[in-house]
Amino acid sequence: MTSPATENPIRYFDHAASSWPKPDAVIKAMDLAMRELGGNPGRGVHELALRTSRAVFEARGACARYLGVPDARDLMFVPSCTAACNLVLKGLLRPGDRVVVGSMEHNAITRPLATLAAAGVEVVVVHADPTGFIDPDHAEKAVAAAPTRAVICQHASNVTGTIQAVGDLADIAHAHGAVMIVDGAQAGGHLSVDLGSLGADAYLLSGHKGLLGPQGIGLMYLSARIDPDPLVEGGTGGAFSLEEGETAERPERYEAGTLNTPGIIGLGAGVGFLGEHGEELRRLELELTFRLIEGLAQTPGVRVLGPPTGVERVPVVSIVHDKLAADEIAFALDRQARIACRPGLHCSPWAHRTVGTLESGTVRFSIGHGISVADADYLIGSLERVVASH
Ligand code: PMP
């Protein structure tokens, strides 16, 4: 998508970091929330508090319907996917537990795991192939080798766009008495996710990426099979004020403190937009992703990472160049062509180690709402010019 009203607009290829621009419906809903929904949800009996509670209830219902969550109370609002990853891992795992984790994980998973490993959790890594895919048979061998508390895997990679067979991994986890934890940060909004049937016991999402909400809001789904300890305790409003410890009731158990009401309402509008336009958007994203994979690979010296064209992935395309550094390319694209993309490790050193780009990093182009065929072709032409001019 282009920034409005300039002759040389920004072409924004950084949706995997945060989607932009947001649909008008999201901006309007947040404007309304700030103007008319000023009460504190769950706290108070006056009209504004009740109206705000209702809006939060409706946004939760919209998110639950969009993600196929059978009981909306199992879907919690959290500040970010990172916060949810910390909560689930630290709230669930105890010294002596063993976990099996994919090698493509983001720091949102690997850093809490490193802390837990130092405290005595055994972390077993299953290595993905060079396209970033984890073979479920390899995962099964790792899980079957010893009693395992959890299998942890992202749904889609923020480096290569690779989609993991998380449903199969969940079956494997359950067959061996483990629970399945899925980092869905890059899948939400880009893949159809049905949490009623997927088999994940925890599914963690950013609100501000493919779900098209604002920054500062995320979602945490928990199945009835798990009950991690909350990391934050305090006021939850409503009927639970007399309880000495945190209530066992969901969603309140994991939502202590005043909620990010404008963020929640914006996220509700984002999933509402996806309910109407999501399928059409997904088709376009895939078409443009394949167009980029093929087009970018034509530039001399460029190698495209991840699954080959034709294999479904989320709309993330990472490249390396045999001579130019990733940040040189990204700076040149920004300065010469006003193309926004991201160079480096994308907070995912494990993934880069897996696909062999830990030293170089990659230049990542990621697509979403508002990108057109013309934008994709402009990027392909601009990369060619940048490489030719060096
Ligand atoms: N996991 C993955 C795969 C991600 O790409 C990201 C965001 N880069 C996160 C987790 C963390 O998301 P957030 O920054 O929204 O907490």
Side-chain angles (χ1 to χ4, degrees):
M1 176 60 185
T2 54
S3 74
T6 56
E7 277 177 19
N8 182 19
I10 291 174
R11 264 81 169 193
Y12 187 76
F13 284 90
D14 203 13
H15 284 257
S18 209
S19 57
W20 181 85
K22 306 299 177 186
D24 277 351
V26 172
I27 296 165
K28 283 191 184 130
M30 292 184 73
D31 183 81
L32 186 88
M34 296 297 284
R35 289 178 196 283
E36 295 182 19
L37 300 170
N40 197 326
R43 291 139 173 96
V45 295
H46 59 78
E47 185 182 333
L48 272 187
L50 296 181
R51 228 193 279 159
T52 309
S53 295
R54 175 100 215 142
V56 168
F57 177 83
E58 281 169 4
R60 194 187 309 278
C63 292
R65 278 191 300 283
Y66 177 71
L67 294 167
V69 175
D71 184 341
R73 289 173 295 185
D74 293 328
L75 190 62
M76 271 59 72
F77 292 115
V78 289
S80 64
C81 182
T82 300
C85 292
N86 273 268
L87 192 158
V88 169
L89 297 175
K90 293 175 181 167
L92 195 70
L93 300 174
R94 297 288 169 263
D97 282 344
R98 176 182 193 266
V99 299
V100 170
V101 58
S103 70
M104 294 293 286
E105 298 309 304
H106 186 273
N107 279 343
I109 292 286
T110 64
R111 286 185 169 162
L113 274 187
T115 301
L116 289 162
V121 171
E122 185 189 355
V123 178
V124 178
V125 180
V126 184
H127 291 278
D129 71 18
T131 72
F133 184 70
I134 293 168
D135 183 336
D137 289 343
H138 295 175
E140 175 140 44
K141 282 199 188 88
V143 177
T148 301
R149 177 78 179 104
V151 176
I152 306 162
C153 188
Q154 60 186 204
H155 200 162
S157 167
N158 61 321
V159 175
T160 58
T162 312
I163 300 168
Q164 304 296 350
V166 282
D168 295 342
L169 296 176
D171 290 345
I172 291 166
H174 295 157
H176 293 275
V179 300
M180 182 73 208
I181 299 171
V182 181
D183 169 0
Q186 295 295 340
H190 297 302
L191 296 179
S192 101
V193 174
D194 180 43
L195 292 176
S197 62
L198 187 67
D201 295 296
Y203 194 97
L204 318 165
L205 292 141
S206 305
H208 64 101
K209 300 182 193 270
L211 295 180
L212 301 176
Q215 296 175 3
I217 191 72
L219 287 165
M220 175 177 75
Y221 162 75
L222 298 179
S223 78
R225 293 163 58 102
I226 61 171
D227 183 38
D229 289 340
L231 292 188
V232 177
E233 294 167 300
T236 51
F240 312 111
S241 290
L242 266 179
E243 293 184 31
E244 189 62 33
E246 203 53 63
T247 175
E249 295 292 321
R250 294 180 183 177
E252 291 83 359
R253 179 165 176 72
Y254 301 104
E255 292 183 348
T258 296
L259 291 169
N260 172 3
T261 307
I264 289 169
I265 290 170
L267 176 56
V271 302
F273 178 90
L274 288 168
E276 269 180 59
H277 306 287
E279 275 183 33
E280 179 198 329
L281 182 57
R282 173 71 191 140
R283 266 196 303 278
L284 180 63
E285 284 174 353
L286 208 53
E287 181 194 324
L288 296 183
T289 301
F290 293 155
R291 194 177 183 98
L292 279 190
I293 294 171
E294 285 163 25
L296 296 172
Q298 300 302 313
T299 298
V302 165
R303 183 165 65 86
V304 177
L305 278 86
T309 182
V311 175
E312 197 186 359
R313 61 159 91 184
V314 293
V316 169
V317 181
S318 265
I319 63 159
V320 286
H321 189 266
D322 60 8
K323 294 201 185 64
L324 294 178
D327 50 6
E328 252 181 300
I329 294 175
F331 276 124
L333 285 171
D334 177 62
R335 302 304 186 272
Q336 294 169 26
R338 299 198 83 199
I339 285 173
C341 62
R342 185 170 173 197
L345 296 180
H346 319 109
C347 307
S348 298
W350 280 30
H352 285 277
R353 195 174 296 118
T354 302
V355 300
T357 49
L358 189 61
E359 299 299 320
S360 61
T362 60
V363 188
R364 182 183 74 183
F365 304 104
S366 48
I367 297 174
H369 167 244
I371 301 258
S372 65
V373 173
D375 292 329
D377 290 347
Y378 176 78
L379 166 57
I380 293 165
S382 300
L383 181 72
E384 251 172 45
R385 282 189 288 280
V386 161
V387 168
S389 70
H390 274 76

